[in-house]
Amino acid sequence: MSTRRYKNGLAKVGRYWWICFKRGKQKVELSTGCTNRADAEFVLAEEKRKKGFQRLGIKLPESIQAPLVGDVVREWASCNRGVLSDRYLNQALESLDRHWAPIAKDPMNEVTTEKVDKLRASYLGGNGFKTLKGHRIEIPHTLGGWNRQVRLLSAVYGWAIRDRKYLSSRPWYARERKVQQTGRPVVWPEKVQAYLAAVDSHSRKTVIRLGIRMQLGLGLRESEAGGARWEWLSWRQEEYLPGDTKNRKTRRIPIPAWLLQLLLAEWNRQGCPTHGLVLPDAKEEQKARGFTKNAIREAGDDIGVPGLHPHRMRATFATTHYEAGTPLSEIQQMMGHEKPITTLKYIEMRQVRAAEAQAKVAAAMGFALGAPSKQEAS
């Protein structure tokens, strides 16, 4: 028989709170693993809900009712402006209006796995929209898109649990679905000149032409190219040190000679400034996100590489360096990645390299190319 003395279903034992309640002849007694009473009250309410107390008409205390999902998503987006990218936050707000509407007015602790499963079925049964050459077309939602929805919702719940203490744990579970991987578009080294010629044919603006070349030659993100500044460029050492990066760490990137000449020409054209934006817009401000998007996509269509977007320029940078024999550690440093596994995700392999490797292995094994084996000759 338990010796713990419970008050309103709670008892403090050492550091942790225990809960105890009955429903008919069934008794529930367990440790919450929580060190503060507020979290223990929430666990008590959750255990009661699982046992059907709400269906019996038992009202849970108002103090443990979690805020609504829609309110928390908007609070999360507001608090993380300037910390997370605007595109990421706007995507979450758009998902709240389009895909999460059925749970937007539910308390966070009442979103169950069953409700999330219904959201998945609704999402996969609908269509999204994509703009292609000025035309808006419908495309079916995919499992990859659903995985992004799960990650977004998990991020909101993680913030609510970790930073706001609205919950002690996530009340639902949804595993990401496996997606068949397909080859991603990249501009192979031998096609770069044809690609840049196509870029120049689609855009006469220097900021777009030079912005794409900076992404290709320095491995910059589009936002880093748009926010590049003259004071971050070292003419003496021929290096570029981006001062506003995603992980807030400066990295040294050697500038290739062909790109250095283009930057020098633009520097002279602007009157040899000592500071300021390399690619300012008409209002002398940083270029908006997506300023190279259309030119990159259209030039890719011209050379037979559809589906290109600005971030694939970083993949082109990593892939061309890898094929040129640059050590992975140096590619990682220039791209500003914390771990080499992240850099490997940007490197695309192709069958030509695999075929060459197979030929070298065959020669090392003693197989003469084009000659029949001894068994075949006999």
Side-chain angles (χ1 to χ4, degrees):
M1 187 173 181
S2 174
T3 58
R4 302 183 185 93
R5 300 183 63 179
Y6 290 92
K7 183 177 181 181
N8 295 328
L10 294 170
K12 188 73 175 290
V13 181
R15 293 180 55 206
Y16 301 104
W17 286 89
W18 282 62
I19 60 173
C20 181
F21 61 92
K22 289 184 178 181
R23 182 190 175 196
K25 296 182 179 180
Q26 183 182 11
K27 180 180 179 181
V28 177
E29 184 179 19
L30 53 88
S31 171
T32 64
C34 303
T35 57
N36 62 78
R37 186 183 180 90
D39 289 344
E41 287 178 348
F42 174 76
V43 175
L44 175 62
E46 282 295 287
E47 291 296 328
K48 285 186 175 182
R49 181 184 64 80
K50 292 177 183 178
K51 299 298 181 183
F53 271 62
Q54 287 181 323
R55 291 192 295 272
L56 295 176
I58 296 177
K59 185 177 179 181
L60 300 178
E62 291 294 330
S63 61
I64 60 174
Q65 289 296 322
L68 304 183
V69 173
D71 295 339
V72 174
V73 172
R74 292 185 175 88
E75 182 185 0
W76 168 77
S78 176
C79 292
N80 285 282
R81 289 289 178 189
V83 179
L84 302 175
S85 69
D86 290 341
R87 182 181 180 183
Y88 181 75
L89 297 175
N90 292 338
Q91 184 181 359
L93 294 175
E94 181 183 358
S95 295
L96 174 66
D97 296 332
R98 292 185 58 189
H99 310 305
W100 304 344
I103 64 171
K105 295 183 179 180
D106 291 349
M108 295 195 75
N109 60 340
E110 294 184 10
V111 177
T112 62
T113 301
E114 292 78 12
K115 290 183 178 181
V116 176
D117 287 341
K118 289 181 180 179
L119 286 181
R120 185 191 71 230
S122 175
Y123 178 87
L124 295 177
N127 292 328
F129 298 94
K130 182 178 181 180
T131 303
L132 183 62
K133 294 185 177 180
H135 300 284
R136 193 183 188 204
I137 59 175
E138 288 189 2
I139 56 174
H141 287 145
T142 62
L143 286 175
W146 171 248
N147 289 341
R148 287 192 291 272
Q149 298 298 323
V150 171
R151 287 193 288 267
L152 278 173
L153 196 58
S154 297
V156 174
Y157 266 82
W159 176 83
I161 294 170
R162 181 182 61 256
D163 293 6
R164 288 296 183 267
K165 309 298 182 183
Y166 292 147
L167 304 169
S168 61
S169 62
R170 196 175 66 184
W172 54 271
Y173 170 76
R175 64 183 177 87
E176 294 188 13
R177 305 291 169 168
K178 291 185 178 181
V179 181
Q180 181 65 40
Q181 298 294 328
T182 58
R184 296 174 296 177
V186 67
V187 183
W188 300 112
E190 62 272 13
K191 288 189 175 183
V192 168
Q193 291 302 319
Y195 178 73
L196 291 178
V199 167
D200 295 342
S201 67
H202 282 285
S203 179
R204 297 182 179 179
K205 295 183 179 180
T206 302
V207 290
I208 294 179
R209 293 181 177 185
L210 187 55
I212 293 175
R213 284 167 168 82
M214 290 178 69
Q215 294 175 63
L216 275 174
L218 300 176
L220 300 179
R221 301 175 179 87
E222 186 191 43
S223 59
E224 292 174 343
R229 303 185 66 85
W230 292 117
E231 57 264 34
W232 299 339
L233 193 152
S234 173
W235 296 109
R236 183 185 298 274
Q237 298 179 347
E238 299 182 357
E239 290 181 338
Y240 181 69
L241 291 77
D244 186 9
T245 59
K246 183 178 180 180
N247 60 2
R248 300 296 186 265
K249 292 183 179 180
T250 300
R251 59 187 189 272
R252 292 181 175 273
I253 310 173
I255 305 175
W258 64 269
L259 182 58
L260 192 66
Q261 292 179 358
L262 296 175
L263 289 171
L264 182 60
E266 178 64 16
W267 183 64
N268 289 324
R269 191 189 68 81
Q270 293 187 19
C272 304
T274 57
H275 64 279
L277 292 168
V278 177
L279 306 173
D281 62 6
K283 297 181 181 180
E284 298 297 322
E285 296 178 353
Q286 180 175 337
K287 295 294 294 183
R289 180 183 295 274
F291 75 102
T292 62
K293 178 181 177 181
N294 292 336
I296 286 175
R297 186 188 69 248
E298 293 170 355
D301 293 340
D302 287 352
I303 66 169
V305 186
L308 282 176
H309 53 84
H311 211 60
R312 297 310 295 164
M313 297 297 100
R314 272 171 69 80
T316 298
F317 174 84
T319 301
T320 52
H321 269 278
Y322 174 78
E323 292 198 348
T326 306
L328 180 63
S329 59
E330 295 185 11
I331 303 176
Q332 175 189 350
Q333 187 276 326
M334 290 188 289
M335 297 188 72
H337 291 149
E338 296 275 347
K339 301 177 181 178
I341 189 65
T342 307
T343 307
L344 284 173
K345 294 178 181 179
Y346 284 80
I347 297 174
E348 301 294 333
M349 306 295 180
R350 51 177 168 172
Q351 295 302 319
V352 175
R353 305 280 293 185
E356 292 175 356
Q358 285 283 53
K360 291 180 180 179
V361 170
M365 290 181 175
F367 293 104
L369 299 180
S373 64
K374 294 181 180 180
Q375 294 181 353
E376 292 175 348
S378 61

